[in-house]
Amino acid sequence: MLDSTEDFADERPDVAATRAAYDDIAELYTELFRNHLAGAVLDRAILGAFVESVAGNGSGPIADLGCGPGRITGHLASSGARVFGLDLSPRMVELARAEHPQLFFAQGSVEELPIGDSALGGIVAWYSLIHTPPERVPHVLNEFHRVLASKGHVLLAFQTADLPDAVEAFDHKVTRAYRWAPKRLARLLDAAGFAMIARMVREPGPDERFGQAYLLASKVR
Ligand SMILES: C[S@@+](CC[C@H](N)C(=O)[O-])C[C@H]1O[C@@H](n2cnc3c(N)ncnc32)[C@H](O)[C@@H]1O
């Protein structure tokens, strides 16, 4: 199903910049976020709801897309989910494999998933779609729709925009990134063939600058 490649010759410049930035920061990122979920009760709550929703459907594994060092992949696996990870950054994939030797990780991009049609029961994109230029996000959501089985679930996490219907570039610490108004991203999910199940917005935590949003949806058409 997954046939990852490390030939980056045809890569778009912004994708190459994101990959290089995460390769450079991978070790530090892994250390900084290793225990982050332990103190994030609402994040764990929505991840738990996602795992139960996917299990209730009984169809296919979960892909953690833009998995970084695999902290969400590992958390979902420890909740009983069948899950694997995929990330743009080869260094992140190496670290994810070292952190979670029992799980499968591959290198690849959300813009061209090396995954067959209708193969997955769930997709989580936890702060990874934030790096895709907004005009290419509809294509990525179409990719998510393609690889999910009927009624499969998708969970997105991202920083919220200040204006109610905006998408805004911001000075992310690693590389260029975008904050979204939840309803704007929800509209794109709808256009890609997903029905919204839940939207959670929480206030910034002590180490965060922005509100944080989580959208849970399922493939309906
Ligand atoms: C903020 S980190 C989040 C990592 C992980 N989801 C977590 O929460 O710890 C963003 C991750 O998305 C990955 N990423 C960015 N653009 C991507 C793309 N087009 N395809 C796959 N992964 C991507 C980066 O390499 C990076 O590991």
Side-chain angles (χ1 to χ4, degrees), residues 84-203:
F84 64 89
L86 177 138
D87 201 275
L88 188 63
S89 153
R91 187 65 191 132
M92 282 293 200
V93 170
E94 275 175 26
L95 290 172
R97 288 174 180 152
E99 294 277 313
H100 308 282
Q102 75 286 11
L103 300 180
F104 179 79
F105 294 94
Q107 193 280 330
S109 174
V110 293
E111 298 196 57
E112 201 174 347
L113 288 170
I115 299 172
D117 295 358
S118 308
L120 301 177
I123 287 176
V124 56
W126 198 257
Y127 299 97
S128 52
L129 260 192
I130 60 171
H131 297 300
T132 299
E135 66 276 12
R136 302 212 304 270
V137 167
H139 165 74
V140 174
L141 297 180
N142 288 340
E143 269 294 88
F144 287 6
H145 188 273
R146 177 184 69 77
V147 298
L148 274 173
S150 174
K151 301 194 177 121
H153 290 78
V154 59
L155 176 63
L156 308 180
F158 51 97
Q159 293 88 350
T160 57
D162 290 331
L163 297 171
D165 200 20
V167 51
E168 298 163 4
F170 72 103
D171 58 335
H172 186 274
K173 293 195 171 71
V174 181
T175 188
R176 190 168 184 80
Y178 303 85
R179 299 192 275 145
W180 287 79
K183 80 170 180 190
R184 184 155 175 165
L185 203 41
R187 263 205 317 272
L188 294 186
L189 280 165
D190 177 67
F194 293 97
M196 290 305 306
I197 296 172
R199 304 163 198 224
M200 180 175 90
V201 177
R202 66 165 177 78
E203 296 300 316

Side-chain angles (χ1 to χ4, degrees), residues 10-89:
D10 297 333
E11 211 168 46
R12 293 173 188 269
D14 67 273
V15 175
T18 300
R19 182 173 50 72
Y22 275 103
D23 274 350
D24 285 351
I25 201 90
E27 274 82 5
L28 182 61
Y29 185 97
T30 304
E31 290 313 315
L32 278 178
F33 286 95
R34 188 187 300 283
N35 297 317
H36 192 261
L37 265 186
V41 61
L42 290 171
D43 297 15
R44 291 199 315 273
I46 194 90
L47 286 164
F50 167 69
V51 167
E52 282 194 44
S53 303
V54 175
N57 234 6
S59 56
I62 292 172
D64 179 6
L65 300 179
C67 62
R71 66 191 183 103
I72 303 299
T73 334
H75 177 76
L76 297 184
S78 68
S79 313
R82 198 151 57 92
V83 57
F84 64 89
L86 177 138
D87 201 275
L88 188 63
S89 153

